[in-house]
mmCIF file of all heavy atoms in Angstrom:
data_model
loop_
_atom_site.group_PDB
_atom_site.id
_atom_site.type_symbol
_atom_site.label_atom_id
_atom_site.label_comp_id
_atom_site.label_asym_id
_atom_site.label_seq_id
_atom_site.Cartn_x
_atom_site.Cartn_y
_atom_site.Cartn_z
ATOM 1 N N GLN O 113 206.526 38.061 214.098
ATOM 2 C CA GLN O 113 207.099 39.205 214.801
ATOM 3 C C GLN O 113 206.078 39.756 215.782
ATOM 4 O O GLN O 113 204.879 39.517 215.648
ATOM 5 C CB GLN O 113 207.548 40.280 213.816
ATOM 6 C CG GLN O 113 206.450 40.787 212.915
ATOM 7 C CD GLN O 113 206.952 41.791 211.900
ATOM 8 O OE1 GLN O 113 207.804 42.597 212.199
ATOM 9 N NE2 GLN O 113 206.413 41.728 210.695
ATOM 10 N N THR O 114 206.578 40.454 216.754
ATOM 11 C CA THR O 114 205.714 41.124 217.718
ATOM 12 C C THR O 114 205.920 42.614 217.543
ATOM 13 O O THR O 114 207.052 43.096 217.520
ATOM 14 C CB THR O 114 206.078 40.701 219.157
ATOM 15 O OG1 THR O 114 205.952 39.278 219.247
ATOM 16 C CG2 THR O 114 205.169 41.373 220.165
ATOM 17 N N VAL O 115 204.822 43.335 217.380
ATOM 18 C CA VAL O 115 204.901 44.783 217.170
ATOM 19 C C VAL O 115 204.004 45.497 218.182
ATOM 20 O O VAL O 115 203.059 44.922 218.725
ATOM 21 C CB VAL O 115 204.496 45.167 215.727
ATOM 22 C CG1 VAL O 115 205.487 44.604 214.719
ATOM 23 C CG2 VAL O 115 203.097 44.696 215.399
ATOM 24 N N GLU O 116 204.318 46.740 218.413
ATOM 25 C CA GLU O 116 203.513 47.563 219.313
ATOM 26 C C GLU O 116 202.161 47.851 218.671
ATOM 27 O O GLU O 116 202.061 48.057 217.473
ATOM 28 C CB GLU O 116 204.224 48.881 219.603
ATOM 29 C CG GLU O 116 205.521 48.733 220.383
ATOM 30 C CD GLU O 116 205.301 48.246 221.805
ATOM 31 O OE1 GLU O 116 204.284 48.609 222.418
ATOM 32 O OE2 GLU O 116 206.161 47.481 222.293
ATOM 33 N N SER O 117 201.148 47.881 219.472
ATOM 34 C CA SER O 117 199.822 48.229 219.009
ATOM 35 C C SER O 117 199.579 49.713 219.246
ATOM 36 O O SER O 117 200.309 50.360 220.000
ATOM 37 C CB SER O 117 198.781 47.411 219.784
ATOM 38 O OG SER O 117 197.486 47.914 219.558
ATOM 39 N N ARG O 118 198.566 50.227 218.655
ATOM 40 C CA ARG O 118 198.217 51.617 218.930
ATOM 41 C C ARG O 118 197.504 51.737 220.271
ATOM 42 O O ARG O 118 197.296 52.836 220.769
ATOM 43 C CB ARG O 118 197.374 52.190 217.801
ATOM 44 C CG ARG O 118 196.041 51.536 217.615
ATOM 45 C CD ARG O 118 195.335 52.092 216.401
ATOM 46 N NE ARG O 118 194.064 51.430 216.243
ATOM 47 C CZ ARG O 118 192.956 52.036 215.895
ATOM 48 N NH1 ARG O 118 192.969 53.318 215.633
ATOM 49 N NH2 ARG O 118 191.843 51.364 215.789
ATOM 50 N N PHE O 119 197.131 50.588 220.845
ATOM 51 C CA PHE O 119 196.474 50.592 222.147
ATOM 52 C C PHE O 119 197.499 50.360 223.256
ATOM 53 O O PHE O 119 198.385 49.513 223.124
ATOM 54 C CB PHE O 119 195.385 49.512 222.203
ATOM 55 C CG PHE O 119 194.342 49.675 221.128
ATOM 56 C CD1 PHE O 119 194.278 48.797 220.059
ATOM 57 C CD2 PHE O 119 193.432 50.726 221.175
ATOM 58 C CE1 PHE O 119 193.329 48.941 219.064
ATOM 59 C CE2 PHE O 119 192.478 50.887 220.183
ATOM 60 C CZ PHE O 119 192.431 49.998 219.126
ATOM 61 N N GLU O 120 197.377 51.071 224.319
ATOM 62 C CA GLU O 120 198.305 50.975 225.442
ATOM 63 C C GLU O 120 198.311 49.554 226.018
ATOM 64 O O GLU O 120 197.280 48.901 226.092
ATOM 65 C CB GLU O 120 197.889 51.983 226.522
ATOM 66 C CG GLU O 120 198.919 52.138 227.622
ATOM 67 C CD GLU O 120 198.538 53.242 228.589
ATOM 68 O OE1 GLU O 120 197.943 54.249 228.167
ATOM 69 O OE2 GLU O 120 198.836 53.068 229.767
ATOM 70 N N ASP O 121 199.489 49.091 226.408
ATOM 71 C CA ASP O 121 199.675 47.765 227.015
ATOM 72 C C ASP O 121 199.205 46.621 226.118
ATOM 73 O O ASP O 121 198.719 45.595 226.607
ATOM 74 C CB ASP O 121 198.949 47.691 228.367
ATOM 75 C CG ASP O 121 199.511 48.685 229.371
ATOM 76 O OD1 ASP O 121 200.741 48.923 229.343
ATOM 77 O OD2 ASP O 121 198.718 49.242 230.152
ATOM 78 N N THR O 122 199.299 46.804 224.824
ATOM 79 C CA THR O 122 198.870 45.771 223.875
ATOM 80 C C THR O 122 199.968 45.546 222.845
ATOM 81 O O THR O 122 200.588 46.490 222.370
ATOM 82 C CB THR O 122 197.573 46.200 223.156
ATOM 83 O OG1 THR O 122 196.582 46.496 224.131
ATOM 84 C CG2 THR O 122 197.078 45.110 222.234
ATOM 85 N N ARG O 123 200.192 44.299 222.546
ATOM 86 C CA ARG O 123 201.143 43.935 221.512
ATOM 87 C C ARG O 123 200.402 43.123 220.437
ATOM 88 O O ARG O 123 199.432 42.434 220.721
ATOM 89 C CB ARG O 123 202.274 43.079 222.071
ATOM 90 C CG ARG O 123 203.049 43.732 223.206
ATOM 91 C CD ARG O 123 204.493 43.842 222.863
ATOM 92 N NE ARG O 123 205.402 44.308 223.873
ATOM 93 C CZ ARG O 123 205.272 45.330 224.685
ATOM 94 N NH1 ARG O 123 204.186 46.021 224.689
ATOM 95 N NH2 ARG O 123 206.207 45.687 225.516
ATOM 96 N N VAL O 124 200.885 43.200 219.226
ATOM 97 C CA VAL O 124 200.297 42.455 218.116
ATOM 98 C C VAL O 124 201.313 41.393 217.693
ATOM 99 O O VAL O 124 202.484 41.698 217.472
ATOM 100 C CB VAL O 124 199.983 43.393 216.920
ATOM 101 C CG1 VAL O 124 199.480 42.599 215.734
ATOM 102 C CG2 VAL O 124 198.992 44.461 217.342
ATOM 103 N N HIS O 125 200.854 40.157 217.594
ATOM 104 C CA HIS O 125 201.713 39.058 217.140
ATOM 105 C C HIS O 125 201.343 38.728 215.696
ATOM 106 O O HIS O 125 200.179 38.513 215.374
ATOM 107 C CB HIS O 125 201.524 37.818 218.019
ATOM 108 C CG HIS O 125 201.927 38.047 219.437
ATOM 109 N ND1 HIS O 125 203.236 38.048 219.846
ATOM 110 C CD2 HIS O 125 201.186 38.320 220.530
ATOM 111 C CE1 HIS O 125 203.288 38.298 221.138
ATOM 112 N NE2 HIS O 125 202.049 38.467 221.591
ATOM 113 N N VAL O 126 202.355 38.717 214.844
ATOM 114 C CA VAL O 126 202.162 38.415 213.424
ATOM 115 C C VAL O 126 202.732 37.026 213.162
ATOM 116 O O VAL O 126 203.883 36.748 213.501
ATOM 117 C CB VAL O 126 202.873 39.461 212.535
ATOM 118 C CG1 VAL O 126 202.710 39.109 211.061
ATOM 119 C CG2 VAL O 126 202.362 40.858 212.834
ATOM 120 N N TYR O 127 201.909 36.165 212.565
ATOM 121 C CA TYR O 127 202.332 34.823 212.209
ATOM 122 C C TYR O 127 202.189 34.670 210.699
ATOM 123 O O TYR O 127 201.127 34.944 210.145
ATOM 124 C CB TYR O 127 201.462 33.764 212.898
ATOM 125 C CG TYR O 127 201.519 33.842 214.400
ATOM 126 C CD1 TYR O 127 200.547 34.541 215.106
ATOM 127 C CD2 TYR O 127 202.554 33.237 215.100
ATOM 128 C CE1 TYR O 127 200.598 34.627 216.482
ATOM 129 C CE2 TYR O 127 202.619 33.319 216.478
ATOM 130 C CZ TYR O 127 201.636 34.012 217.171
ATOM 131 O OH TYR O 127 201.697 34.097 218.527
ATOM 132 N N TYR O 128 203.260 34.231 210.055
ATOM 133 C CA TYR O 128 203.207 34.013 208.613
ATOM 134 C C TYR O 128 202.806 32.572 208.346
ATOM 135 O O TYR O 128 203.417 31.643 208.858
ATOM 136 C CB TYR O 128 204.557 34.328 207.977
ATOM 137 C CG TYR O 128 204.905 35.791 208.076
ATOM 138 C CD1 TYR O 128 205.800 36.257 209.028
ATOM 139 C CD2 TYR O 128 204.292 36.710 207.242
ATOM 140 C CE1 TYR O 128 206.093 37.605 209.124
ATOM 141 C CE2 TYR O 128 204.576 38.059 207.329
ATOM 142 C CZ TYR O 128 205.484 38.494 208.279
ATOM 143 O OH TYR O 128 205.756 39.827 208.380
ATOM 144 N N GLN O 129 201.752 32.401 207.552
ATOM 145 C CA GLN O 129 201.246 31.082 207.235
ATOM 146 C C GLN O 129 200.910 31.008 205.747
ATOM 147 O O GLN O 129 200.514 32.011 205.150
ATOM 148 C CB GLN O 129 199.970 30.801 208.038
ATOM 149 C CG GLN O 129 200.179 30.828 209.525
ATOM 150 C CD GLN O 129 198.868 30.683 210.287
ATOM 151 O OE1 GLN O 129 197.795 30.919 209.744
ATOM 152 N NE2 GLN O 129 198.964 30.297 211.542
ATOM 153 N N PRO O 130 201.046 29.814 205.162
ATOM 154 C CA PRO O 130 200.659 29.656 203.755
ATOM 155 C C PRO O 130 199.185 30.003 203.569
ATOM 156 O O PRO O 130 198.361 29.705 204.430
ATOM 157 C CB PRO O 130 200.899 28.171 203.487
ATOM 158 C CG PRO O 130 201.845 27.724 204.555
ATOM 159 C CD PRO O 130 201.553 28.578 205.748
ATOM 160 N N VAL O 131 198.873 30.640 202.438
ATOM 161 C CA VAL O 131 197.492 31.055 202.184
ATOM 162 C C VAL O 131 196.742 30.087 201.281
ATOM 163 O O VAL O 131 195.532 30.153 201.181
ATOM 164 C CB VAL O 131 197.426 32.485 201.584
ATOM 165 C CG1 VAL O 131 197.937 33.497 202.575
ATOM 166 C CG2 VAL O 131 198.183 32.558 200.277
ATOM 167 N N GLY O 132 197.437 29.204 200.593
ATOM 168 C CA GLY O 132 196.763 28.254 199.709
ATOM 169 C C GLY O 132 197.409 28.185 198.349
ATOM 170 O O GLY O 132 198.547 28.613 198.158
ATOM 171 N N VAL O 133 196.680 27.650 197.404
ATOM 172 C CA VAL O 133 197.179 27.449 196.039
ATOM 173 C C VAL O 133 197.391 28.803 195.356
ATOM 174 O O VAL O 133 196.544 29.685 195.438
ATOM 175 C CB VAL O 133 196.191 26.597 195.222
ATOM 176 C CG1 VAL O 133 196.657 26.459 193.779
ATOM 177 C CG2 VAL O 133 196.007 25.232 195.867
ATOM 178 N N VAL O 134 198.518 28.932 194.681
ATOM 179 C CA VAL O 134 198.830 30.136 193.914
ATOM 180 C C VAL O 134 198.685 29.810 192.430
ATOM 181 O O VAL O 134 199.245 28.826 191.952
ATOM 182 C CB VAL O 134 200.275 30.615 194.208
ATOM 183 C CG1 VAL O 134 200.681 31.740 193.279
ATOM 184 C CG2 VAL O 134 200.418 31.027 195.666
ATOM 185 N N ALA O 135 197.919 30.608 191.721
ATOM 186 C CA ALA O 135 197.834 30.495 190.262
ATOM 187 C C ALA O 135 198.746 31.572 189.690
ATOM 188 O O ALA O 135 198.564 32.754 189.962
ATOM 189 C CB ALA O 135 196.406 30.704 189.780
ATOM 190 N N ALA O 136 199.763 31.159 188.959
ATOM 191 C CA ALA O 136 200.756 32.086 188.430
ATOM 192 C C ALA O 136 200.741 32.066 186.906
ATOM 193 O O ALA O 136 200.645 31.007 186.300
ATOM 194 C CB ALA O 136 202.147 31.715 188.945
ATOM 195 N N LEU O 137 200.825 33.234 186.322
ATOM 196 C CA LEU O 137 200.881 33.361 184.868
ATOM 197 C C LEU O 137 202.297 33.734 184.455
ATOM 198 O O LEU O 137 202.914 34.606 185.053
ATOM 199 C CB LEU O 137 199.911 34.440 184.386
ATOM 200 C CG LEU O 137 198.444 34.209 184.714
ATOM 201 C CD1 LEU O 137 197.609 35.398 184.262
ATOM 202 C CD2 LEU O 137 197.934 32.926 184.089
ATOM 203 N N SER O 138 202.778 33.084 183.432
ATOM 204 C CA SER O 138 204.107 33.368 182.924
ATOM 205 C C SER O 138 203.999 33.855 181.485
ATOM 206 O O SER O 138 203.529 33.125 180.624
ATOM 207 C CB SER O 138 204.969 32.113 182.975
ATOM 208 O OG SER O 138 206.242 32.380 182.431
ATOM 209 N N PRO O 139 204.422 35.086 181.215
ATOM 210 C CA PRO O 139 204.343 35.574 179.838
ATOM 211 C C PRO O 139 205.363 34.876 178.934
ATOM 212 O O PRO O 139 206.308 34.267 179.401
ATOM 213 C CB PRO O 139 204.636 37.066 179.977
ATOM 214 C CG PRO O 139 205.404 37.192 181.234
ATOM 215 C CD PRO O 139 204.953 36.083 182.131
ATOM 216 N N TRP O 140 205.160 35.012 177.662
ATOM 217 C CA TRP O 140 205.969 34.290 176.676
ATOM 218 C C TRP O 140 207.389 34.803 176.550
ATOM 219 O O TRP O 140 208.291 34.063 176.177
ATOM 220 C CB TRP O 140 205.291 34.355 175.304
ATOM 221 C CG TRP O 140 205.266 35.745 174.723
ATOM 222 C CD1 TRP O 140 204.337 36.710 174.949
ATOM 223 C CD2 TRP O 140 206.247 36.328 173.872
ATOM 224 N NE1 TRP O 140 204.663 37.860 174.274
ATOM 225 C CE2 TRP O 140 205.852 37.654 173.608
ATOM 226 C CE3 TRP O 140 207.427 35.863 173.293
ATOM 227 C CZ2 TRP O 140 206.581 38.512 172.804
ATOM 228 C CZ3 TRP O 140 208.155 36.717 172.488
ATOM 229 C CH2 TRP O 140 207.729 38.030 172.255
ATOM 230 N N ASN O 141 207.658 36.068 176.867
ATOM 231 C CA ASN O 141 208.956 36.650 176.524
ATOM 232 C C ASN O 141 210.072 36.385 177.539
ATOM 233 O O ASN O 141 211.236 36.439 177.184
ATOM 234 C CB ASN O 141 208.822 38.149 176.257
ATOM 235 C CG ASN O 141 208.186 38.895 177.410
ATOM 236 O OD1 ASN O 141 207.561 38.298 178.281
ATOM 237 N ND2 ASN O 141 208.331 40.199 177.413
ATOM 238 N N PHE O 142 209.752 36.105 178.796
ATOM 239 C CA PHE O 142 210.756 35.762 179.801
ATOM 240 C C PHE O 142 210.221 34.618 180.669
ATOM 241 O O PHE O 142 210.039 34.777 181.876
ATOM 242 C CB PHE O 142 211.114 36.974 180.674
ATOM 243 C CG PHE O 142 211.947 37.989 179.971
ATOM 244 C CD1 PHE O 142 211.358 39.091 179.368
ATOM 245 C CD2 PHE O 142 213.325 37.845 179.880
ATOM 246 C CE1 PHE O 142 212.115 40.025 178.693
ATOM 247 C CE2 PHE O 142 214.090 38.773 179.206
ATOM 248 C CZ PHE O 142 213.491 39.872 178.609
#
């Protein structure tokens, strides 16, 4: 997405990218 910056005449571009391996814990009850 492109969002307005707090600085005049500036836009911020947001790019979603994978961050790497996820270690997930799953409790016993669900």
Side-chain angles (χ1 to χ4, degrees):
Q113 58 183 323
T114 302
V115 295
E116 294 293 325
S117 168
R118 64 185 179 139
F119 302 108
E120 190 174 326
D121 297 325
T122 304
R123 302 238 186 314
V124 175
H125 297 282
V126 178
Y127 300 96
Y128 294 102
Q129 299 174 340
V131 295
V133 176
V134 172
L137 300 176
S138 178
W140 67 274
N141 55 343
F142 287 96

